[in-house]
Amino acid sequence: MNVAVIGAGYVGLVQSAGLTHLGHTVTLGEANADRVADLRAGRIPIFEPGLAELIERAIENDLLFFESDNHAAVRGADVIFLTLPTPPGADGHADLRIVKSVAAELAEVLTPDQLLVTKSTVPVGTAESLRSILREKGCEAGVLSNPEFLAEGTAVDDFMRSDRIVIGAFEQDHGDRVAALYTGLEGEILITDPVSAELVKYASNAYLATRLTFANAISNISEEVGADAVQVLEAMGLDSRIGPKFLRPGPGYGGSCFPKDTAALLGITAGVGYDFPLLEAVIATDHYQRSRIIEKAGAMLGGAAGKRIAVWGVAFKANTDDVRESPAVRIARGLADAGAAIVMTDPEARTDEFPVVDDPVLAAENADMVIIATEWPEFIHADFAKVAEVMAGDIVYDVRNLLDPEAVRAAGLTYIAIGRPTI
Ligand code: UGA
């Protein structure tokens, strides 16, 4: 099929590349002309494992084209996906101005047999309001919702091996046509109405945020009672009703999705007069998680003021260069506010807020403490003998439970895990 994808951000690039892999021809519309020029030259603006290779192959096979004019991008497309930014507005609601203005622009050219599909996370009711925008302009194109469930760092794999594909359609035939695009993928396809599809996305992200926040609370309780949270959570996960995923204790959730979508779901529920104290508590407990780590780090140093702290990790999680709402940066910020000097290191991500160096050992130079804030596998293999040699202090505070405690201890360092008895 011929597909257009509007918005060459992270979701748009993965969606386009994935669809070309399934044999479809995709035109990616992007308003930023510099980005279009970069993409045409094979330069990919984000770091996402496997994405560059997929895009390169699609360009070579004449399956992927780039356009800075949206009207040109959608010409001849059977299905048009909107993968546009929906930043949080001041009230927590997603700001839909870009999505709506592009829908209005496309209404001038879309024909009744074309299908316009929202892909990026949009508030419940968006498909309905986009349909109204189109109809007001006399455009009879179909409107659907097909939320994305890609996680950064594994997005290409998530596309290829999704658990489920959710399509919200006003008309069954429209749903079937969008479903046909995904032939060849193993995920279960569920066709429902647009409002339900839109809610699936918020409910899923809020549930995952709740689950990992619960794991963090169990991890904190484990610290207090002397239990080993890793074993407690592993044992919980062995119950098939619970399952093992998203029970990894850490510094709380970050990224562009969970913080935004939990706040947005609260906004949606407030809008319909429904109280959701459970979700409010999740958000508050998540904030507490980082304050607790900041306080514990300060306490271990006898106060953070005047101390030098190396924070390993800048990205909000491993395998991405995304620093939005990054727990690593927030922890660094909290300790800097308490008077510590911060140096960070990360294989991919950067921030303007603190000095960032490439080499973890260099970051550890003269540091009183190293905090492992992002779970990059590279950190596991760091030379801890050298780290011990260059540090001023000896504490390694691993808030991801990433490192091998024995390897760190063997270098003469003091290893502090999260949710586990002090080793
Ligand atoms: C998340 C969802 O997992 C995707 O399904 C969804 O499509 C995406 O949001 C989105 O809405 O676009 P993402 O934000 O990329 O994906 O990252 P996750 O892997 O879900 O991690 C979110 C946060 O939870 C990270 O800060 C991560 O470190 C943390 N986390 C995750 C834990 O602390 N413990 C865990 O066990 C799992």
Side-chain angles (χ1 to χ4, degrees):
M1 275 195 238
N2 285 321
V3 178
V5 175
I6 308 297
Y10 153 79
V11 176
L13 285 165
V14 176
Q15 176 76 358
S16 302
L19 289 173
T20 62
H21 181 76
L22 295 175
H24 303 296
T25 303
V26 178
T27 303
L28 184 46
E30 165 59 47
N32 179 337
D34 290 342
R35 186 166 271 215
V36 170
D38 277 350
L39 287 165
R40 283 186 177 146
R43 286 188 294 273
I44 316 302
I46 56 165
F47 170 75
E48 184 64 40
L51 181 63
E53 294 83 340
L54 216 53
I55 291 182
E56 199 177 304
R57 208 176 321 137
I59 295 173
E60 263 171 35
N61 294 337
D62 281 337
L63 289 175
L64 184 56
F65 303 91
F66 306 98
E67 272 293 347
S68 53
D69 175 49
N70 287 340
H71 284 183
V74 303
R75 197 172 299 136
D78 302 296
V79 179
I80 299 103
F81 288 98
L82 296 183
T83 53
L84 294 158
T86 51
D91 56 357
H93 283 87
D95 183 341
L96 272 185
R97 275 177 294 185
I98 302 174
V99 172
K100 286 184 173 172
S101 81
V102 169
E105 180 193 355
L106 295 181
E108 295 162 14
V109 293
L110 291 183
T111 54
D113 56 331
Q114 288 182 300
L115 301 177
L116 183 66
V117 187
T118 57
K119 187 80 199 160
S120 37
T121 307
V122 288
V124 173
T126 298
E128 181 69 65
S129 57
L130 294 192
R131 192 165 68 152
S132 303
I133 290 173
L134 263 51
R135 299 295 178 264
E136 272 165 28
K137 293 187 171 283
C139 169
E140 292 299 324
V143 178
L144 298 92
S145 156
N146 172 213
E148 58 90 13
F149 301 109
L150 312 169
E152 288 184 34
T154 56
V156 172
D157 209 48
D158 291 342
F159 181 95
M160 303 296 179
R161 272 174 281 279
S162 54
D163 292 334
R164 78 308 202 187
I165 293 159
V166 179
I167 299 167
F170 291 106
E171 290 171 45
Q172 182 67 34
D173 157 61
H174 290 174
D176 292 341
R177 279 166 60 198
V178 173
L181 271 178
Y182 295 108
T183 306
L185 295 180
E186 56 201 45
E188 189 166 324
I189 297 185
L190 203 135
I191 301 179
T192 180
D193 60 89
V195 177
S196 301
E198 287 160 348
L199 187 56
V200 169
K201 178 58 195 266
Y202 286 104
S204 300
N205 274 0
Y207 177 74
L208 290 170
T210 302
R211 195 177 150 90
L212 77 89
T213 304
F214 186 87
N216 283 335
I218 295 298
S219 161
N220 296 341
I221 295 164
S222 297
E223 284 180 3
E224 301 305 327
V225 301
D228 185 334
V230 172
Q231 290 181 340
V232 173
L233 292 161
E234 188 189 336
M236 282 172 62
L238 287 172
D239 183 329
S240 60
R241 293 169 302 175
I242 296 174
K245 293 184 181 167
F246 270 76
L247 289 178
R248 228 176 40 240
Y253 55 78
S256 64
C257 305
F258 286 5
K260 170 171 75 74
D261 291 352
T262 44
L265 184 54
L266 269 189
I268 290 165
T269 57
V272 292
Y274 180 78
D275 273 346
F276 203 167
L278 173 63
L279 190 55
E280 283 170 21
V282 166
I283 294 169
T285 306
D286 178 65
H287 285 137
Y288 166 73
Q289 190 65 8
R290 285 172 294 281
S291 315
R292 180 179 167 96
I293 288 169
I294 292 162
E295 265 170 39
K296 284 194 89 163
M300 280 185 253
L301 292 169
K307 302 293 184 337
R308 190 175 173 86
I309 300 177
V311 178
W312 286 15
V314 178
F316 83 94
K317 64 175 188 176
N319 292 316
T320 176
D321 59 357
D322 196 338
V323 300
R324 284 176 286 179
E325 311 281 335
S326 169
V329 176
R330 290 180 154 195
I331 289 168
R333 208 178 282 153
L335 288 165
D337 288 347
I342 305 289
V343 181
M344 303 185 85
T345 180
D346 193 286
E348 294 292 339
R350 293 291 175 264
T351 172
D352 293 335
E353 274 185 66
F354 300 102
V356 183
V357 297
D358 283 332
D359 180 5
V361 176
L362 191 61
E365 225 166 67
N366 299 320
D368 297 285
M369 173 183 271
V370 169
I371 298 181
I372 312 299
T374 310
E375 73 283 23
W376 284 102
E378 284 86 336
F379 296 155
I380 301 173
H381 310 294
D383 184 341
F384 287 101
K386 269 203 187 136
V387 171
E389 209 178 288
V390 299
M391 276 181 79
D394 70 347
I395 302 172
V396 176
Y397 185 17
D398 182 1
V399 304
R400 294 280 190 173
N401 288 335
L402 174 76
L403 306 178
D404 171 8
E406 294 304 324
V408 180
R409 264 197 305 179
L413 294 162
T414 302
Y415 178 79
I416 310 289
I418 185 163
R420 313 189 78 177
T422 300
I423 299 164

